[in-house]
Amino acid sequence: MTGRVIKFYNSFFFVKVDAELIPCKLRGIIKRDKKSGSAVFPGDFVEISKLKDGSGVIEKILPRKSLLNRPSVANVDRVILTFAAAQPDLHLLLLDRFISIAENSKLAEIIICVNKIDLIADENFLSEYENLYKVIRTSTLTGAGVDELKNIISSGVTVFAGASGVGKSSLLNKIDANLKLKVGSVSEKILRGKHTTRVSELIEFGNGFLVDTPGFSAVDLNEAGINAENLKYCFEEFENFSSDCKFLNGCSHSHEPNCGVKSAVENKKILRARYENYLTLLQELKSG
């Protein structure tokens, strides 16, 4: 049988097969084959055999389309990077840090959710990012954007990520009060565990799943598998101009002459603020 791993708890992987949730152990050969990257994570599709007592054994891990590194979640369809328009103010460096982590994880869809939009006068807040990513502006006070967000998370696997204080809990409560209770219950359970930032669980919502991701906001670039050499690939707009660089693949787009990316910044084809954040993150990686 083929199913999806929903959570890992008490040494069991709970695999959802149709409407049934089956507690499973790993076949020994999978445990031994560590070099092949065969560790099982929530979100993985697996082949299992069922035992007489109703439990199962994971026989094979099917190929993944994506893997969020920390916390580890496989086959994520989208990430919703949640920030507040104010209280606390949105800092673009933190936003670009989150975007870099999501890009490095090869997630198919990256969405920026600007919550508390009612606190500012600018209805087009963060419009400069809309050529790069979908931006949803939400308010639990006015209800703006809530239905759109609800429709999005009702299918596929969605990761919510955001620092504390951005109103994520209030937003979930606005979407569905039961959803907030489910996420809160998972978070409380995880906080009692030893590996606080390494555990995730898929929560059913509509025809999809929402992933609780404790610790995502604390992730630094190194822990997410990003280094000074591959950071440039996390800024997808650079790809359009990197072929114009004198040193092509060897160009870091920072100090080199005849750099296509730097020229694009000067010609206002790349957001200067994004580029400056790239340089800040690059220096962080080099000095770290």
Side-chain angles (χ1 to χ4, degrees), residues 30-246:
I30 297 179
K31 292 181 181 178
R32 293 192 295 271
D33 191 16
K34 294 180 179 178
K35 289 185 179 179
S36 67
S38 59
V40 179
F41 302 111
D44 268 325
F45 288 102
V46 294
E47 291 181 0
I48 71 168
S49 57
K50 199 170 182 182
L51 305 178
K52 291 181 179 179
D53 64 359
S55 66
V57 177
I58 294 177
E59 305 284 358
K60 182 180 180 182
I61 306 164
L62 300 182
R64 299 178 183 120
K65 64 181 179 182
S66 65
L67 179 64
L68 186 64
N69 286 321
R70 188 170 182 259
S72 296
V73 188
N75 299 311
V76 173
D77 292 294
R78 69 186 64 84
V79 60
I80 297 180
L81 304 177
T82 312
F83 290 81
Q87 299 179 17
D89 292 342
L90 192 157
H91 294 285
L92 293 182
L93 179 60
L94 183 60
L95 173 60
D96 284 329
R97 179 187 296 273
F98 275 40
I99 290 173
S100 297
I101 293 168
E103 288 283 8
N104 189 61
S105 299
K106 309 300 181 187
L107 303 186
E109 188 177 8
I110 298 171
I111 298 173
I112 301 170
C113 175
V114 182
N115 196 26
K116 304 183 185 181
I117 196 66
D118 55 281
L119 295 180
I120 62 172
D122 185 5
E123 295 181 355
N124 298 312
F125 183 74
L126 213 65
S127 61
E128 65 270 26
Y129 275 69
E130 287 187 300
N131 289 331
L132 301 170
Y133 302 101
K134 182 177 181 63
V135 178
I136 301 175
R137 300 168 183 88
T138 60
S139 167
T140 57
L141 183 65
T142 67
V146 173
D147 287 341
E148 182 181 7
L149 193 59
K150 182 177 181 178
N151 288 335
I152 289 172
I153 69 173
S154 293
S155 63
V157 178
T158 303
V159 170
F160 260 98
S164 60
V166 300
K168 187 181 77 170
S169 293
S170 298
L171 196 54
L172 293 175
N173 193 45
K174 190 73 173 179
I175 291 170
D176 186 326
N178 290 325
L179 182 57
K180 179 188 174 185
L181 291 173
K182 289 177 183 178
V183 172
S185 175
V186 171
S187 298
E188 183 180 353
K189 179 178 67 180
I190 289 171
L191 287 171
R192 293 198 300 266
K194 294 181 180 179
H195 304 290
T196 303
T197 60
R198 300 284 182 178
V199 183
S200 295
E201 179 175 331
L202 274 62
I203 302 164
E204 290 189 64
F205 183 75
N207 294 318
F209 296 93
L210 178 65
V211 184
D212 183 44
T213 56
F216 188 96
S217 61
V219 172
D220 67 28
L221 298 180
N222 278 310
E223 290 176 332
I226 301 174
N227 55 44
E229 286 69 42
N230 65 19
L231 176 65
K232 60 187 177 183
Y233 301 115
C234 300
F235 286 71
E236 65 168 21
E237 65 269 38
F238 289 5
E239 295 280 329
N240 299 325
F241 306 100
S242 58
S243 59
D244 297 329
C245 295
K246 178 180 179 179

